[in-house]
């Protein structure tokens, strides 16, 4: 297509310039839609549609599968009450559409109140001078370090601790202040400096009672008696006695600070009435919790759609899509060394700028505006026809229009910015990161500065506010939504004025541009 100059070399009229710009746009449209470096933009535009379509397909398949396994009357589903036995619920509601069963076990103390202290009685009492504690498996966690806070020996006559303060030997301690003497000092109050700790095998403590004594009871205070974790208590050990310290007889073998396995049974029953799904969780045969909800929740899906459109589509997809499409309308021509052909054409450079911008805008608005409408359609298609009709009657068509309008106007604003940046910089990474940070901080900026953000106007156009948890931090709330949204006419006007200002800057740059492919400027 030729770019014709007016007769006599006179400057073309406004309508003539518009025709020239449209001619350039038509030439550029194919490259704008199908440039290889920008094909990934279609992925960004279609991703929300794929998410909602996949969700709809999954829910429909699940509904059909549950329905094939049998429907339950809604009144029966609602009759389940917490605390009921699983047998009673199954008898009343019938066979569930789904049933899952599992057992979980955890190790707990065998009896309350021992706090890591074990007592071992010998009947009848025996004569011994030397008493030896041999540690076989030092912990329940698998750690190889033995920890004993006290090893006490008692006779049959009374409460006297025969081992208190006696001579004691043992394995090489973990440190000098955790030697075997700490296990017979009668105290556990000073924490880890009041224990015997050893890792070198064989792990043992041996107490010399000073003379042959009748012994009938032993008390061992393990790691948790000194405030450590129960998993560090001694798992397996034995106690031996000897008269001369050379030959020992085992008088007690123990699993230490014993744990038992506590078993909990979980059963999950699912019933379906054709529309709602009842999820019943039974713990040890009793109904602990129930949840009854529609398989498809229209209000929830609408809220999720609003969140995806504002948090992903407007903030990221359109932002990076315009970066890929508009940044290289001029920069790509420089890289390909073809921009001079446009500059030699009989058209003002501002007209060239307008034509390229129009081509990029038509392509981007079509892709992302169409993507927003396609995602909207994918969001509503699985739902009941009556719900959809009620939504249309309540303004659903207007919601669809404003979602598509916000996407298209996002291309208007971001397209102008990245077109201008393409005239000034070679590498888009740094300016794009700065702009993304500016847009993301929009909610915490003063109101005057918010009006210099494209996202501020786009969020003001959206018909449904983005979802926000009640416990979300205040800063997150500010970053997620504009502090004072503009009216829709004000938002459109503000965005167009901001775009016009950016294009004016771009026009000044393109008028001064000199072609030098060696430096790519």
């Amino acid at each position: 297509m030729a770019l014709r100059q007016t007769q006599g070399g006179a400057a073309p009229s406004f309508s003539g310039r518009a025709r020239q710009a449209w001619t350039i746009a038509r030439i550029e449209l194919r490259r704008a839609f199908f440039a290889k470096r920008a094909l990934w933009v279609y992925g960004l535009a279609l991703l929300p549609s794929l998410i909602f379509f996949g969700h709809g397909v999954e829910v429909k398949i699940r509904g059909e599968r549950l329905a094939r396994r049998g429907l339950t009357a809604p009144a029966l589903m609602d009759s389940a009450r917490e605390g009921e036995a699983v047998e009673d619920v199954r008898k009343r509601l019938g066979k569930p559409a789904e049933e899952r069963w599992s057992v979980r076990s955890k190790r707990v103390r065998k009896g309350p109140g021992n706090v890591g202290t074990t007592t071992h009685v010998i009947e009848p009492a025996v004569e011994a001078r030397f008493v030896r504690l041999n540690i076989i498996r030092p912990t329940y966690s698998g750690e190889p370090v033995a920890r004993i806070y006290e090893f006490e020996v008692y006779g049959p006559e009374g409460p006297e601790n025969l081992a208190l303060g006696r001579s004691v030997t043992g394995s090489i301690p973990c440190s000098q202040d955790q030697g075997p003497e700490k296990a017979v000092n009668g105290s556990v109050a000073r924490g880890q400096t009041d224990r015997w700790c050893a890792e070198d095998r064989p792990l043992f403590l041996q107490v010399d009672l000073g003379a042959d004594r009748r012994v009938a009871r032993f008390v061992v205070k393990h790691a948790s008696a000194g405030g450590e974790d129960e998993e560090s208590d001694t798992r397996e050990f034995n106690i031996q006695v000897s008269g001369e310290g050379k030959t020992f007889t085992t008088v007690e073998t123990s699993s230490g600070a014993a744990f038992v396995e506590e078993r909990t049974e979980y059963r999950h029953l699912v019933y379906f009435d054709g529309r709602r799904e009842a999820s019943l969780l039974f713990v040890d045969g009793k109904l602990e919790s129930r949840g009854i909800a529609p398989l498809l929740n229209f209000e929830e899906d609408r809220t999720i759609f609003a969140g995806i459109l504002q948090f992903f589509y407007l903030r990221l997809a359109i932002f990076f899509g315009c970066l890929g499409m508009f940044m290289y309308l001029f920069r790509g021509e420089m890289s390909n060394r073809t921009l001079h052909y446009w500059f030699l054409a009989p058209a003002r450079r501002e007209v060239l700028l307008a034509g390229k911008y129009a081509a990029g805008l038509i392509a981007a608005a079509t892709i992302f505006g169409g993507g927003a409408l396609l995602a909207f359609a994918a969001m509503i298609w699985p739902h009941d026809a009556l719900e959809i009709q009620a939504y249309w009657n309540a303004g659903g068509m207007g919601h669809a229009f404003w979602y598509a309008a916000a996407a298209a106007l996002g291309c208007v604003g971001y397209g102008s910015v990245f077109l201008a940046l393409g005239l000034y910089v070679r590498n888009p990474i740094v300016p794009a990161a700065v702009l993304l940070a500016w847009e993301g901080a929009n909610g915490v900026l003063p109101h005057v500065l918010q009006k210099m953000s494209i996202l501020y106007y786009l969020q003001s156009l959206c018909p449904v506010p983005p979802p926000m948890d009640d416990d979300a931090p205040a800063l997150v709330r500010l970053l997620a939504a504009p502090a004072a949204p503009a009216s829709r006419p004000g938002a459109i006007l503000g965005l167009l004025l901001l775009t016009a200002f950016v294009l004016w800057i771009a026009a000044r740059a393109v008028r001064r541009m000199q072609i030098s492919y060696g430096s790519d400027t």
Side-chain angles (χ1 to χ4, degrees), residues 207-225:
V207 182
D208 182 356
L209 301 181
D212 286 341
R213 307 291 296 270
R214 284 176 57 81
V215 296
R217 182 166 56 96
F218 305 94
V219 175
V220 185
K221 296 183 178 179
H222 306 272
S224 62

Side-chain angles (χ1 to χ4, degrees), residues 307-359:
I308 290 178
L309 188 103
Q310 296 190 48
F311 292 141
F312 169 73
Y313 214 61
L314 297 183
R315 289 173 178 266
L316 298 175
I318 295 177
F319 181 93
F320 286 105
C322 289
L323 169 63
M325 296 181 72
F326 285 85
M327 187 82 180
Y328 294 98
L329 288 175
F330 279 95
R331 186 57 55 183
E333 298 269 17
M334 296 178 192
S335 300
N336 296 332
R337 298 175 179 255
T338 57
L339 184 60
H340 64 283
Y341 293 118
W342 284 113
F343 281 3
L344 292 174
R348 297 181 61 173
R349 291 189 178 183
E350 294 90 337
V351 174
L352 174 63
L353 179 78
K356 281 182 170 289
Y357 175 70

Side-chain angles (χ1 to χ4, degrees), residues 69 86 90 95-101 267-270:
R69 295 175 180 177
V86 63
R90 284 180 62 97
K95 183 180 178 181
E98 283 185 358
E99 181 173 4
R100 295 189 294 273
W101 177 85
R267 295 183 72 175
H268 183 212
L269 306 184
V270 175

